[in-house]
Amino acid sequence: MHSAWAQSAANGIGSFTNTGPMNDLRAVISFYPQPLSIIVKRNSGVEELGQLATARLVTSSISYNDATFKILRNLKGWTDSSFASLERVKSTRTALDSFCNGEANAMLATYEHPSGIIRKATAECGGRLLPVDFPEKADEITGNPALAEASVPAKMYVGQAASISTFGHRTVLVARSDTPDSVIEAVVTSVLDDLTNLKGKHPAFLELNAREMASEGLAIPLHPAAEAIYRERRLLP
């Protein structure tokens, strides 16, 4: 599940306010990041993050996408009215259509990379990725355990000569605290022992790193059996 959802579920906040805290929720392993991606038209005049407020921005109202957008707004001191125009649509696919037909000249999305949505936006619709870089707020990102710094490797998309810095949540495998240790041990050991093979199964897995998988984006306690394996393999301090 999305690391922001795990954090909200464990604390009984956001969409989980009515259900109350899930005190027995435990993290097992962190997989790939789903970082914030901002795509702007090459002729938009938006060259750096601070200029995004001048754009006609479209974003989807999907919960995890909206949660990441809220973090960005808070970090920059923006409100919805800060933008030249802001449109929320039901899906990222609809946001892409708005971007490609020129109704918007900036689009926000949270996806693992490589992404077919972002590939089309850059290759067919005149878009390029905007670095999401504000070192003055780095402590606020690293201070939230559900977030992690991320980067999009160079040359992943059309016109992207260098890596692009950003941040976001991660996809996390969770379990209940009463899940038998043997089950957790089998899952974690299987993933770590077969990591090289796993990387070849999907492009999003290419950058998987065992040390990051043991800690990045984990905003809830580790299942004790998973933690024991990570410590045994010296993946945790």
Side-chain angles (χ1 to χ4, degrees):
M1 72 189 306
H2 200 266
S3 57
W5 290 348
Q7 186 180 46
S8 296
N11 291 285
I13 59 176
S15 301
F16 299 88
T17 300
N18 293 332
T19 60
M22 295 179 64
N23 296 317
D24 62 346
L25 197 64
R26 297 292 181 269
V28 177
I29 195 166
S30 174
F31 283 101
Y32 49 82
Q34 291 184 301
L36 170 67
S37 294
I38 300 173
I39 307 96
V40 297
K41 292 281 191 179
R42 296 190 184 96
N43 62 0
S44 66
V46 177
E47 300 296 330
E48 52 92 21
L49 184 60
Q51 297 174 327
L52 185 64
T54 67
R56 303 188 310 277
L57 180 65
V58 63
T59 182
S60 81
S61 57
I62 298 171
S63 58
Y64 59 81
N65 195 78
D66 209 42
T68 309
F69 183 35
K70 182 178 180 179
I71 292 169
L72 174 67
R73 296 198 313 274
N74 289 343
L75 290 171
K76 294 298 293 181
W78 288 334
T79 65
D80 285 1
S81 61
S82 298
F83 300 91
S85 71
L86 173 62
E87 181 185 14
R88 284 186 172 87
V89 295
K90 290 184 177 180
S91 71
T92 306
R93 177 65 63 178
T94 304
L96 176 65
D97 290 342
S98 179
F99 181 81
C100 289
N101 65 28
E103 293 176 10
N105 62 2
M107 181 178 79
L108 184 148
T110 49
Y111 269 106
E112 66 275 9
H113 294 286
S115 159
I117 292 280
I118 297 173
R119 183 169 286 142
K120 180 172 181 178
T122 54
E124 301 178 24
C125 301
R128 62 177 177 80
L129 280 170
L130 186 72
V132 184
D133 190 12
F134 33 104
E136 73 280 5
K137 297 290 186 177
D139 289 347
E140 295 183 43
I141 294 173
T142 57
N144 183 338
L147 295 175
E149 294 180 332
S151 64
V152 183
K155 300 181 180 179
M156 182 163 283
Y157 300 107
V158 170
Q160 182 202 342
S163 64
I164 299 290
S165 58
T166 183
F167 73 94
H169 299 93
R170 292 179 74 96
T171 299
V172 179
L173 179 65
V174 301
R176 289 172 48 135
S177 59
D178 60 359
T179 303
D181 288 358
S182 59
V183 173
I184 301 299
E185 290 167 358
V187 170
V188 174
T189 300
S190 176
V191 170
L192 294 180
D193 287 350
D194 201 34
L195 194 54
T196 299
N197 183 51
L198 182 62
K199 289 181 179 183
K201 296 298 183 182
H202 190 279
F205 295 158
L206 284 174
E207 302 298 321
L208 289 180
N209 175 288
R211 191 170 299 278
E212 291 181 358
M213 295 167 75
S215 60
E216 289 290 309
L218 300 184
I220 61 175
L222 277 164
H223 190 286
E227 182 176 1
I229 292 173
Y230 298 143
R231 292 197 182 282
E232 179 183 336
R233 298 189 182 214
R234 298 182 179 179
L235 299 175
L236 290 174

